[in-house]
Amino acid sequence: SQQGEEDPQALSIQEGENATMNCSYKTSINNLQWYRQNSGRGLVHLILIRSNEREKHSGRLRVTLDTSKKSSSLLITASRAADTASYFCATDGQSGYSTLTFGKGTMLLVSP
Amino acid sequence: NAGVTQTPKFQVLKTGQSMTLQCAQDMNHEYMSWYRQDPGMGLRLIHYSVGAGITDQGEVPNGYNVSRSTTEDFPLRLLSAAPSQTSVYFCASSYGFHQPQHFGDGTRLSIL
C-alpha cells in the first residue's frame, strides 16, 4: 500500500534551473523524508521534516510540508548534472511500530 | 565505517532454488528492513526487525524468510525461487522507525 506518491514521474531540466518535485500522502504522519537514488545504487537520505515543521533547508534543498493538504515538495535550486537521480518521499504513521512507506519516485534528468 | 553491506551484488538462480541474501551493518542500529524494488512499483517492504530476535512481516512477505540472531546481521532467505521474485533487493537500517534509513547498494537477483 503506497502512502506517498510523487509527482511528476519524470522531470527533465537544464543545468542551473530549479527542480520541484511533489509528494502527496493519505494518512497522518510523524515525519516525511526525502531520499535520492543514483542509478545502480541504494537510496541516500536527504532530509527529514517533522509534522510540526513547515519548511526545512539543507544546502540547495528546500522542503516544505503542508499537513492540511497532506503534501510536501522538494525544491532543488541551481541544479547540476550530478543531481540526475530518482527522488523518493517516504512517510510513516503515528503509531509506535509503523514502518516507512516509499512512493514510486520522480526521475530527474539534469542536462549540461 | 562500511555502513550497510549487502552480498552478493548480483545473482542468477533457477526456479525452485533457494538462497540467502546477506545484510550486515556496523552502526549498531536496532531497526533493519528488507525492500524489493521493481520498475514502476517503487520500494515495497518485505520483512523488518526491531532488534535481535524480533522480526515482522511487511507488505510482500510471501516466499521470503528472515531471522535476526545478532544486531549486525539480517539475512533474507528465498525458500523456493520463482520468476516473480526477480527484482533488486535493498537492506536498510536505522536507529528507529522514524529515523533516516541507511541503505545498502542492493542485490540484483534474476530467477530463470
Side-chain angles (χ1 to χ4, degrees), chain A residues 1 30-31 35 40 92 98, chain B residues 37 59 97-98 101 104-105 108:
Chain A
S1 57
N30 282 306
N31 65 56
Y35 290 78
D92 59 13
S98 66
Chain B
Q37 185 177 35
E59 181 185 355
F97 286 107
H98 303 163
Q101 304 271 307
D105 276 337
R108 283 140 190 86

Side-chain angles (χ1 to χ4, degrees), chain B residues 21 46 49 56 67 72 75 81 95 99 109:
Chain B
L21 280 61
I46 305 171
S49 170
D56 205 349
S67 60
E72 294 79 18
Y95 283 115
Q99 300 306 309
L109 183 62

Side-chain angles (χ1 to χ4, degrees), chain A residues 1 30-31 33 35 37 40-43 45 48 88 92 96 98-100 102 104, chain B residues 31 35 37 40-43 45 48 59 90 97-101 103-105 108:
Chain A
S1 57
N30 282 306
N31 65 56
Q33 302 178 34
Y35 290 78
Q37 184 181 31
R41 302 299 300 272
L43 279 71
H45 178 261
L48 180 153
F88 296 85
D92 59 13
S98 66
T99 59
L100 279 185
F102 288 82
K104 296 179 183 180
Chain B
Y31 182 84
Y35 296 87
Q37 185 177 35
M41 299 293 292
L43 277 85
L45 182 67
Y48 66 97
E59 181 185 355
F90 288 99
F97 286 107
H98 303 163
Q99 300 306 309
Q101 304 271 307
F103 283 81
D105 276 337
R108 283 140 190 86

Side-chain angles (χ1 to χ4, degrees), chain B residues 9-78:
Chain B
K9 294 190 186 309
F10 303 93
Q11 185 71 48
V12 179
L13 292 178
K14 294 181 180 177
T15 298
Q17 287 185 315
S18 63
M19 81 159 294
T20 299
L21 280 61
Q22 301 291 344
C23 176
Q25 53 94 5
D26 60 1
M27 295 171 283
N28 203 31
H29 287 164
E30 289 295 326
Y31 182 84
M32 295 185 75
S33 53
W34 276 101
Y35 296 87
R36 59 178 289 174
Q37 185 177 35
D38 302 292
M41 299 293 292
L43 277 85
R44 292 183 292 170
L45 182 67
I46 305 171
H47 285 285
Y48 66 97
S49 170
V50 301
I54 307 169
T55 64
D56 205 349
Q57 296 181 351
E59 181 185 355
V60 288
N62 292 341
Y64 306 96
N65 240 351
V66 292
S67 60
R68 184 98 179 267
S69 56
T70 67
T71 299
E72 294 79 18
D73 300 299
F74 190 42
L76 177 72
R77 297 182 190 84
L78 277 70

